[in-house]
Amino acid sequence: MTEKQQKIIATTLDHLGYKGQAVVEYELLSKEEMRELNLCHRAKDKPTDVLSFGYCNLESKILDKTNYPNEYDQGADGVLLGSIVICEEVAKEQAAEYGHSIDREMNYLFLHGLLHILGFDHEIAEEKQIMRQVEEKIIEQI
């Protein structure tokens, strides 16, 4: 995980009022691997840019061993929130399409996946608007 991704986690948690330490697993997949994962979990037979998988029901904004004993990672000294997987090939295509750097696209996708883990969604217009506003506020801070 990069320093920028660690900053995204810290900034996002702070922005949303979470306290404590969080851990997120992160992996880059090929287009074929992402297609298979997308097919398995979303029944969509195509590669996608980012998928995320939350590991816990975030009932408390205090991320510690007391509130999340089963999700607490002793080695990392934080609550394991979930996993984010990104397809760098798709991210590169999107960066070119949107006219910005691959670094910006990868950071955006990481943030997008993190917000999904934290309960955000964009299936309906109102949720999408809220999620986009939060993304923009956080991107401005990092």
Side-chain angles (χ1 to χ4, degrees):
M1 182 166 306
T2 68
E3 284 184 37
K4 184 72 108 176
Q5 290 165 335
Q6 291 172 341
K7 184 173 182 179
I8 290 169
I9 294 170
T11 302
T12 301
L13 294 177
D14 184 59
H15 180 79
L16 297 174
Y18 286 91
K19 304 292 181 211
Q21 294 297 314
V23 180
V24 176
E25 294 177 332
Y26 172 66
E27 187 173 359
L28 294 174
L29 298 181
S30 69
K31 269 187 164 180
E32 182 57 28
E33 291 169 322
M34 188 62 99
R35 184 195 66 76
E36 289 175 17
L37 195 61
N38 203 21
L39 181 60
C40 177
H41 290 278
R42 298 177 62 223
K44 296 188 183 212
D45 191 12
K46 65 178 188 171
T48 189
D49 51 5
V50 61
L51 290 172
S52 56
F53 304 93
Y55 294 164
C56 56
N57 184 6
L58 294 171
E59 295 178 4
S60 171
K61 289 200 171 190
I62 306 298
L63 302 173
D64 62 15
K65 190 175 184 176
T66 302
N67 290 318
Y68 300 98
N70 297 327
E71 295 84 8
Y72 193 79
D73 183 323
Q74 290 281 50
D77 193 28
V79 175
L80 181 58
L81 298 179
S83 176
I84 298 171
V85 292
I86 295 175
C87 180
E88 192 171 16
E89 294 168 74
V90 173
K92 286 179 182 178
E93 293 167 4
Q94 289 177 175
E97 178 183 337
Y98 300 138
H100 52 248
S101 71
I102 182 63
D103 185 56
R104 190 228 182 259
E105 185 67 14
M106 293 292 286
N107 290 330
Y108 170 80
L109 292 175
F110 186 85
L111 170 59
H112 187 83
L114 178 61
L115 289 176
H116 277 303
I117 288 171
L118 295 171
F120 285 79
D121 208 345
H122 50 77
E123 293 300 315
I124 60 174
E126 296 87 20
E127 292 175 343
K128 184 176 182 175
Q129 182 180 8
I130 291 167
M131 189 172 183
R132 294 291 182 249
Q133 289 172 347
V134 171
E135 288 169 341
E136 290 305 317
K137 286 180 183 175
I138 294 167
I139 287 286
E140 288 173 6
Q141 295 179 42
I142 56 168

